Amino acid sequence: MIENGASNEATDTADPYAAVLRPVRSGNTFEETVEKVLQLIRLGLVPVGDRLPPERELADRLQISRVTLREALKVLQDAGVLEVRRGRYGGAFVLAPAPTPAAASGGAALRRRAEQLGDRLEDTLLFRQVLELGAAELCAARRPQGVEAERLQLLLAETGAASLEEYRRLDTRLHLAIAELSGSASVAAQYAAVRATVNELLDCIPLLTPNLQHSQRQHEELIDAILAGDQTRARVAMREHLAGTAALLRGFLS
Amino acid sequence: MIENGASNEATDTADPYAAVLRPVRSGNTFEETVEKVLQLIRLGLVPVGDRLPPERELADRLQISRVTLREALKVLQDAGVLEVRRGRYGGAFVLAPAPTPAAASGGAALRRRAEQLGDRLEDTLLFRQVLELGAAELCAARRPQGVEAERLQLLLAETGAASLEEYRRLDTRLHLAIAELSGSASVAAQYAAVRATVNELLDCIPLLTPNLQHSQRQHEELIDAILAGDQTRARVAMREHLAGTAALLRGFLS
DNA sequence: CTTTAAAGGTATGGCCTTGTACCATTGGAA
DNA sequence: TTCCAATGGTACAAGGCCATACCTTTAAAG
């Protein structure tokens, strides 16, 4: 006498549990920690030459033991991503990435990355769009004022004045700031994760000055709409901005 | 000689790492597993009286050992959420929730839950909105056809024909289906998690027939817009639909 | 030059989690 | 009635992760 009648409904086609029954953890603690630290670097939150927060603080904030954190740092050190110095004023410093023939390869590196992602590439781009459009709209709805508005304007100005090398890092910061000003920590956290993946792809293709100028004009329109509290305009501006990036990626992938 | 110049920029006001440096894991494996199983139940994916998938399958899909899964099931069994029977055709069956004085209490239980969530309440509602609006728009953009369109129409019809007791479960399934048809597994997974939390709150307040009818009219408009491929209309319809729920919750919370 | 505070480096014991194999129970099928 | 396959129940050893305490190094401060 198994009362299974109620469950045999419209969802029988697909796996009804698919959205819930995913891996509880995407790897062991140490692997996830490596990813977190790489996120800090890929997002440009810790620029090349700067150092990470002290081990004790990192372990504390990631809620892991220092032992496990150190294993992760060890791997990144061996990989040439970090340089660790002892003593006071020491720490883990971010090294310049090895000069890979990425940008000049005409998209070969990008295709490799995209293949590694597989099905998750489409997922990543769609999820990014949902988060980014939602963040822009929420941010506009809150209509930042005072220090928050000034922060956006400062980031906008810095991004506009950035060199080609700095642009992607400052662009990331501007977008992340919008996500944070959405008022939802979850939106900000998920965006940070997804943007780190996107940056990994973007770092495989060259950035051109015309693209940059076009992008910056869109930034100005976006921030203007946000500060005016115009949700619809903010969303439209963000959508156009994202369309540019998506077209860029698709162009190199096809 | 610490090269810290580049990092002292506009983001100094807030914690620049806040979006990344969050706990790697929100508890031990066993706790997260309990949450996952509760999600299955709160979302109505496994209705009262039905049984969960076998332990071996659950452990497999959650990527945890059977031992750990069993610890989680043991807790839920002791809490009176599950009844476990041995032998062939046995399994873990979902029991009816204890008749708490929830709905009749005029919002006391809701306030308690909301207090437990604390700051995460606002986060949850905002994150839900971002996901749900984004999912509706993406779903409309894909313009489901064939079996997908039929599935939506069937779920819509079932939800419309549902009794008061069944309504919330079928409503959840309809929304989850839209999230799945967004084409992004991340959107679906995040929505499932956030909706489980929202349901926990909604289960504290009574559902009235007028609300239900109003809600169903909005469902019809929403599905109509999605099947027509009208992204803007889908988004507007979803926004109005969510406004109703939000107003309901805020009404009971103030 | 000595001191000192802040940082990384190391060691130990215990709990959590896993993989694997096997046992026990049960209701339907033969 | 007997058998069997699906399901939950148990045991054990190995590895992962953690809290804690303590050691070592370094460069600025005095």
PDB file of all heavy atoms in Angstrom, chain A residues 39-47 50-51 169 172-173 176 180 192, chain B residues 7 11 16-21:
ATOM      1  N   GLN A  39      38.807  33.264  -6.729  1.00  0.00           N
ATOM      2  CA  GLN A  39      37.774  34.276  -6.982  1.00  0.00           C
ATOM      3  C   GLN A  39      38.275  35.652  -6.596  1.00  0.00           C
ATOM      4  O   GLN A  39      38.100  36.620  -7.344  1.00  0.00           O
ATOM      5  CB  GLN A  39      36.501  33.955  -6.190  1.00  0.00           C
ATOM      6  CG  GLN A  39      35.513  33.062  -6.907  1.00  0.00           C
ATOM      7  CD  GLN A  39      34.221  32.903  -6.125  1.00  0.00           C
ATOM      8  OE1 GLN A  39      33.768  33.803  -5.443  1.00  0.00           O
ATOM      9  NE2 GLN A  39      33.635  31.732  -6.231  1.00  0.00           N
ATOM     10  N   LEU A  40      38.891  35.757  -5.433  1.00  0.00           N
ATOM     11  CA  LEU A  40      39.426  37.048  -4.986  1.00  0.00           C
ATOM     12  C   LEU A  40      40.357  37.627  -6.037  1.00  0.00           C
ATOM     13  O   LEU A  40      40.359  38.831  -6.295  1.00  0.00           O
ATOM     14  CB  LEU A  40      40.183  36.886  -3.673  1.00  0.00           C
ATOM     15  CG  LEU A  40      39.371  36.768  -2.385  1.00  0.00           C
ATOM     16  CD1 LEU A  40      40.302  36.624  -1.195  1.00  0.00           C
ATOM     17  CD2 LEU A  40      38.488  37.992  -2.210  1.00  0.00           C
ATOM     18  N   ILE A  41      41.134  36.757  -6.652  1.00  0.00           N
ATOM     19  CA  ILE A  41      42.123  37.214  -7.624  1.00  0.00           C
ATOM     20  C   ILE A  41      41.468  37.514  -8.964  1.00  0.00           C
ATOM     21  O   ILE A  41      41.705  38.562  -9.567  1.00  0.00           O
ATOM     22  CB  ILE A  41      43.228  36.151  -7.780  1.00  0.00           C
ATOM     23  CG1 ILE A  41      43.931  35.951  -6.431  1.00  0.00           C
ATOM     24  CG2 ILE A  41      44.218  36.550  -8.855  1.00  0.00           C
ATOM     25  CD1 ILE A  41      44.896  34.796  -6.406  1.00  0.00           C
ATOM     26  N   ARG A  42      40.609  36.595  -9.430  1.00  0.00           N
ATOM     27  CA  ARG A  42      39.981  36.780 -10.739  1.00  0.00           C
ATOM     28  C   ARG A  42      39.073  37.992 -10.770  1.00  0.00           C
ATOM     29  O   ARG A  42      38.889  38.616 -11.810  1.00  0.00           O
ATOM     30  CB  ARG A  42      39.151  35.536 -11.105  1.00  0.00           C
ATOM     31  CG  ARG A  42      39.976  34.299 -11.325  1.00  0.00           C
ATOM     32  CD  ARG A  42      39.291  33.345 -12.293  1.00  0.00           C
ATOM     33  NE  ARG A  42      40.023  32.097 -12.355  1.00  0.00           N
ATOM     34  CZ  ARG A  42      39.660  30.984 -11.736  1.00  0.00           C
ATOM     35  NH1 ARG A  42      38.555  30.970 -11.008  1.00  0.00           N
ATOM     36  NH2 ARG A  42      40.374  29.888 -11.848  1.00  0.00           N
ATOM     37  N   LEU A  43      38.474  38.311  -9.643  1.00  0.00           N
ATOM     38  CA  LEU A  43      37.607  39.486  -9.583  1.00  0.00           C
ATOM     39  C   LEU A  43      38.429  40.759  -9.442  1.00  0.00           C
ATOM     40  O   LEU A  43      37.880  41.855  -9.482  1.00  0.00           O
ATOM     41  CB  LEU A  43      36.624  39.356  -8.411  1.00  0.00           C
ATOM     42  CG  LEU A  43      35.574  38.250  -8.538  1.00  0.00           C
ATOM     43  CD1 LEU A  43      34.770  38.120  -7.258  1.00  0.00           C
ATOM     44  CD2 LEU A  43      34.642  38.532  -9.712  1.00  0.00           C
ATOM     45  N   GLY A  44      39.714  40.595  -9.241  1.00  0.00           N
ATOM     46  CA  GLY A  44      40.555  41.772  -9.081  1.00  0.00           C
ATOM     47  C   GLY A  44      40.395  42.432  -7.721  1.00  0.00           C
ATOM     48  O   GLY A  44      40.829  43.559  -7.532  1.00  0.00           O
ATOM     49  N   LEU A  45      39.780  41.729  -6.782  1.00  0.00           N
ATOM     50  CA  LEU A  45      39.604  42.313  -5.446  1.00  0.00           C
ATOM     51  C   LEU A  45      40.955  42.430  -4.751  1.00  0.00           C
ATOM     52  O   LEU A  45      41.165  43.318  -3.923  1.00  0.00           O
ATOM     53  CB  LEU A  45      38.639  41.470  -4.611  1.00  0.00           C
ATOM     54  CG  LEU A  45      37.192  41.515  -5.094  1.00  0.00           C
ATOM     55  CD1 LEU A  45      36.307  40.598  -4.263  1.00  0.00           C
ATOM     56  CD2 LEU A  45      36.660  42.948  -5.025  1.00  0.00           C
ATOM     57  N   VAL A  46      41.864  41.522  -5.069  1.00  0.00           N
ATOM     58  CA  VAL A  46      43.242  41.629  -4.610  1.00  0.00           C
ATOM     59  C   VAL A  46      44.116  41.735  -5.862  1.00  0.00           C
ATOM     60  O   VAL A  46      44.396  40.736  -6.506  1.00  0.00           O
ATOM     61  CB  VAL A  46      43.653  40.399  -3.776  1.00  0.00           C
ATOM     62  CG1 VAL A  46      45.084  40.557  -3.295  1.00  0.00           C
ATOM     63  CG2 VAL A  46      42.703  40.210  -2.602  1.00  0.00           C
ATOM     64  N   PRO A  47      44.514  42.951  -6.207  1.00  0.00           N
ATOM     65  CA  PRO A  47      45.251  43.161  -7.454  1.00  0.00           C
ATOM     66  C   PRO A  47      46.620  42.506  -7.408  1.00  0.00           C
ATOM     67  O   PRO A  47      47.149  42.187  -6.338  1.00  0.00           O
ATOM     68  CB  PRO A  47      45.392  44.687  -7.528  1.00  0.00           C
ATOM     69  CG  PRO A  47      44.440  45.241  -6.525  1.00  0.00           C
ATOM     70  CD  PRO A  47      44.298  44.194  -5.472  1.00  0.00           C
ATOM     71  N   ASP A  50      49.505  42.927  -4.625  1.00  0.00           N
ATOM     72  CA  ASP A  50      48.958  43.050  -3.276  1.00  0.00           C
ATOM     73  C   ASP A  50      48.990  41.701  -2.576  1.00  0.00           C
ATOM     74  O   ASP A  50      49.234  40.666  -3.191  1.00  0.00           O
ATOM     75  CB  ASP A  50      47.520  43.555  -3.336  1.00  0.00           C
ATOM     76  CG  ASP A  50      47.471  45.070  -3.248  1.00  0.00           C
ATOM     77  OD1 ASP A  50      48.443  45.704  -3.655  1.00  0.00           O
ATOM     78  OD2 ASP A  50      46.453  45.594  -2.766  1.00  0.00           O
ATOM     79  N   ARG A  51      48.715  41.731  -1.279  1.00  0.00           N
ATOM     80  CA  ARG A  51      48.696  40.459  -0.566  1.00  0.00           C
ATOM     81  C   ARG A  51      47.288  40.135  -0.082  1.00  0.00           C
ATOM     82  O   ARG A  51      46.461  41.027   0.142  1.00  0.00           O
ATOM     83  CB  ARG A  51      49.646  40.504   0.627  1.00  0.00           C
ATOM     84  CG  ARG A  51      49.215  41.485   1.682  1.00  0.00           C
ATOM     85  CD  ARG A  51      50.015  41.293   2.956  1.00  0.00           C
ATOM     86  NE  ARG A  51      49.557  42.236   3.957  1.00  0.00           N
ATOM     87  CZ  ARG A  51      50.135  42.406   5.132  1.00  0.00           C
ATOM     88  NH1 ARG A  51      51.198  41.716   5.438  1.00  0.00           N
ATOM     89  NH2 ARG A  51      49.641  43.268   5.992  1.00  0.00           N
ATOM     90  N   ARG A 169      39.409  44.735 -14.468  1.00  0.00           N
ATOM     91  CA  ARG A 169      39.348  44.682 -13.009  1.00  0.00           C
ATOM     92  C   ARG A 169      38.395  45.764 -12.482  1.00  0.00           C
ATOM     93  O   ARG A 169      37.575  45.507 -11.600  1.00  0.00           O
ATOM     94  CB  ARG A 169      40.754  44.888 -12.444  1.00  0.00           C
ATOM     95  CG  ARG A 169      40.802  44.760 -10.951  1.00  0.00           C
ATOM     96  CD  ARG A 169      42.193  44.920 -10.379  1.00  0.00           C
ATOM     97  NE  ARG A 169      42.073  45.683  -9.149  1.00  0.00           N
ATOM     98  CZ  ARG A 169      42.456  46.937  -9.025  1.00  0.00           C
ATOM     99  NH1 ARG A 169      42.993  47.573 -10.041  1.00  0.00           N
ATOM    100  NH2 ARG A 169      42.294  47.552  -7.879  1.00  0.00           N
ATOM    101  N   THR A 172      34.783  45.001 -13.312  1.00  0.00           N
ATOM    102  CA  THR A 172      34.261  44.002 -12.387  1.00  0.00           C
ATOM    103  C   THR A 172      33.847  44.646 -11.069  1.00  0.00           C
ATOM    104  O   THR A 172      32.777  44.350 -10.517  1.00  0.00           O
ATOM    105  CB  THR A 172      35.325  42.925 -12.114  1.00  0.00           C
ATOM    106  OG1 THR A 172      35.718  42.325 -13.343  1.00  0.00           O
ATOM    107  CG2 THR A 172      34.782  41.865 -11.175  1.00  0.00           C
ATOM    108  N   ARG A 173      34.678  45.555 -10.580  1.00  0.00           N
ATOM    109  CA  ARG A 173      34.370  46.217  -9.307  1.00  0.00           C
ATOM    110  C   ARG A 173      33.093  47.031  -9.386  1.00  0.00           C
ATOM    111  O   ARG A 173      32.298  47.065  -8.462  1.00  0.00           O
ATOM    112  CB  ARG A 173      35.525  47.139  -8.923  1.00  0.00           C
ATOM    113  CG  ARG A 173      36.686  46.405  -8.365  1.00  0.00           C
ATOM    114  CD  ARG A 173      37.384  47.289  -7.359  1.00  0.00           C
ATOM    115  NE  ARG A 173      38.406  46.538  -6.674  1.00  0.00           N
ATOM    116  CZ  ARG A 173      39.209  47.051  -5.774  1.00  0.00           C
ATOM    117  NH1 ARG A 173      39.107  48.337  -5.473  1.00  0.00           N
ATOM    118  NH2 ARG A 173      40.088  46.309  -5.163  1.00  0.00           N
ATOM    119  N   LEU A 176      30.200  44.643  -9.426  1.00  0.00           N
ATOM    120  CA  LEU A 176      30.043  44.020  -8.116  1.00  0.00           C
ATOM    121  C   LEU A 176      29.431  45.017  -7.120  1.00  0.00           C
ATOM    122  O   LEU A 176      28.616  44.649  -6.272  1.00  0.00           O
ATOM    123  CB  LEU A 176      31.397  43.519  -7.607  1.00  0.00           C
ATOM    124  CG  LEU A 176      31.384  42.634  -6.371  1.00  0.00           C
ATOM    125  CD1 LEU A 176      30.428  41.469  -6.530  1.00  0.00           C
ATOM    126  CD2 LEU A 176      32.782  42.131  -6.049  1.00  0.00           C
ATOM    127  N   GLU A 180      26.116  44.569  -4.903  1.00  0.00           N
ATOM    128  CA  GLU A 180      26.077  44.751  -3.451  1.00  0.00           C
ATOM    129  C   GLU A 180      25.004  45.760  -3.054  1.00  0.00           C
ATOM    130  O   GLU A 180      24.327  45.597  -2.042  1.00  0.00           O
ATOM    131  CB  GLU A 180      27.450  45.210  -2.949  1.00  0.00           C
ATOM    132  CG  GLU A 180      28.451  44.067  -2.854  1.00  0.00           C
ATOM    133  CD  GLU A 180      29.873  44.545  -2.658  1.00  0.00           C
ATOM    134  OE1 GLU A 180      30.114  45.773  -2.728  1.00  0.00           O
ATOM    135  OE2 GLU A 180      30.759  43.697  -2.458  1.00  0.00           O
ATOM    136  N   ALA A 192      29.299  37.394  -7.583  1.00  0.00           N
ATOM    137  CA  ALA A 192      30.756  37.300  -7.473  1.00  0.00           C
ATOM    138  C   ALA A 192      31.241  35.966  -8.027  1.00  0.00           C
ATOM    139  O   ALA A 192      32.205  35.907  -8.797  1.00  0.00           O
ATOM    140  CB  ALA A 192      31.180  37.461  -6.015  1.00  0.00           C
TER     141      ALA A 192
ATOM    142  N   SER B   7      44.928  49.133  -4.003  1.00  0.00           N
ATOM    143  CA  SER B   7      43.723  48.605  -3.375  1.00  0.00           C
ATOM    144  C   SER B   7      42.968  49.645  -2.550  1.00  0.00           C
ATOM    145  O   SER B   7      41.848  49.423  -2.139  1.00  0.00           O
ATOM    146  CB  SER B   7      44.081  47.426  -2.474  1.00  0.00           C
ATOM    147  OG  SER B   7      44.819  47.891  -1.364  1.00  0.00           O
ATOM    148  N   THR B  11      36.323  51.411  -2.920  1.00  0.00           N
ATOM    149  CA  THR B  11      35.601  50.396  -2.161  1.00  0.00           C
ATOM    150  C   THR B  11      36.022  50.333  -0.702  1.00  0.00           C
ATOM    151  O   THR B  11      35.596  49.460   0.031  1.00  0.00           O
ATOM    152  CB  THR B  11      35.814  49.009  -2.790  1.00  0.00           C
ATOM    153  OG1 THR B  11      37.209  48.874  -3.052  1.00  0.00           O
ATOM    154  CG2 THR B  11      35.025  48.892  -4.058  1.00  0.00           C
ATOM    155  N   PRO B  16      35.498  45.153   1.118  1.00  0.00           N
ATOM    156  CA  PRO B  16      35.586  44.814  -0.307  1.00  0.00           C
ATOM    157  C   PRO B  16      35.483  43.330  -0.592  1.00  0.00           C
ATOM    158  O   PRO B  16      35.195  42.940  -1.716  1.00  0.00           O
ATOM    159  CB  PRO B  16      36.961  45.352  -0.715  1.00  0.00           C
ATOM    160  CG  PRO B  16      37.722  45.539   0.540  1.00  0.00           C
ATOM    161  CD  PRO B  16      36.745  45.685   1.659  1.00  0.00           C
ATOM    162  N   TYR B  17      35.735  42.494   0.416  1.00  0.00           N
ATOM    163  CA  TYR B  17      35.736  41.054   0.177  1.00  0.00           C
ATOM    164  C   TYR B  17      34.410  40.391   0.569  1.00  0.00           C
ATOM    165  O   TYR B  17      34.261  39.181   0.459  1.00  0.00           O
ATOM    166  CB  TYR B  17      36.866  40.385   0.954  1.00  0.00           C
ATOM    167  CG  TYR B  17      38.227  41.003   0.725  1.00  0.00           C
ATOM    168  CD1 TYR B  17      39.102  41.182   1.783  1.00  0.00           C
ATOM    169  CD2 TYR B  17      38.623  41.411  -0.539  1.00  0.00           C
ATOM    170  CE1 TYR B  17      40.359  41.736   1.582  1.00  0.00           C
ATOM    171  CE2 TYR B  17      39.867  41.972  -0.751  1.00  0.00           C
ATOM    172  CZ  TYR B  17      40.727  42.139   0.304  1.00  0.00           C
ATOM    173  OH  TYR B  17      41.963  42.691   0.106  1.00  0.00           O
ATOM    174  N   ALA B  18      33.477  41.197   1.031  1.00  0.00           N
ATOM    175  CA  ALA B  18      32.261  40.636   1.631  1.00  0.00           C
ATOM    176  C   ALA B  18      31.551  39.627   0.740  1.00  0.00           C
ATOM    177  O   ALA B  18      31.019  38.622   1.229  1.00  0.00           O
ATOM    178  CB  ALA B  18      31.306  41.766   2.006  1.00  0.00           C
ATOM    179  N   ALA B  19      31.546  39.879  -0.562  1.00  0.00           N
ATOM    180  CA  ALA B  19      30.779  39.001  -1.444  1.00  0.00           C
ATOM    181  C   ALA B  19      31.457  37.656  -1.648  1.00  0.00           C
ATOM    182  O   ALA B  19      30.803  36.678  -2.012  1.00  0.00           O
ATOM    183  CB  ALA B  19      30.556  39.674  -2.803  1.00  0.00           C
ATOM    184  N   VAL B  20      32.761  37.596  -1.411  1.00  0.00           N
ATOM    185  CA  VAL B  20      33.488  36.344  -1.654  1.00  0.00           C
ATOM    186  C   VAL B  20      33.787  35.596  -0.361  1.00  0.00           C
ATOM    187  O   VAL B  20      33.625  34.377  -0.289  1.00  0.00           O
ATOM    188  CB  VAL B  20      34.811  36.627  -2.404  1.00  0.00           C
ATOM    189  CG1 VAL B  20      35.600  35.346  -2.583  1.00  0.00           C
ATOM    190  CG2 VAL B  20      34.527  37.268  -3.745  1.00  0.00           C
ATOM    191  N   LEU B  21      34.225  36.329   0.648  1.00  0.00           N
ATOM    192  CA  LEU B  21      34.672  35.665   1.877  1.00  0.00           C
ATOM    193  C   LEU B  21      33.510  35.319   2.792  1.00  0.00           C
ATOM    194  O   LEU B  21      33.369  35.866   3.884  1.00  0.00           O
ATOM    195  CB  LEU B  21      35.690  36.548   2.598  1.00  0.00           C
ATOM    196  CG  LEU B  21      36.989  36.770   1.815  1.00  0.00           C
ATOM    197  CD1 LEU B  21      38.019  37.461   2.676  1.00  0.00           C
ATOM    198  CD2 LEU B  21      37.531  35.444   1.326  1.00  0.00           C
TER     199      LEU B  21
END
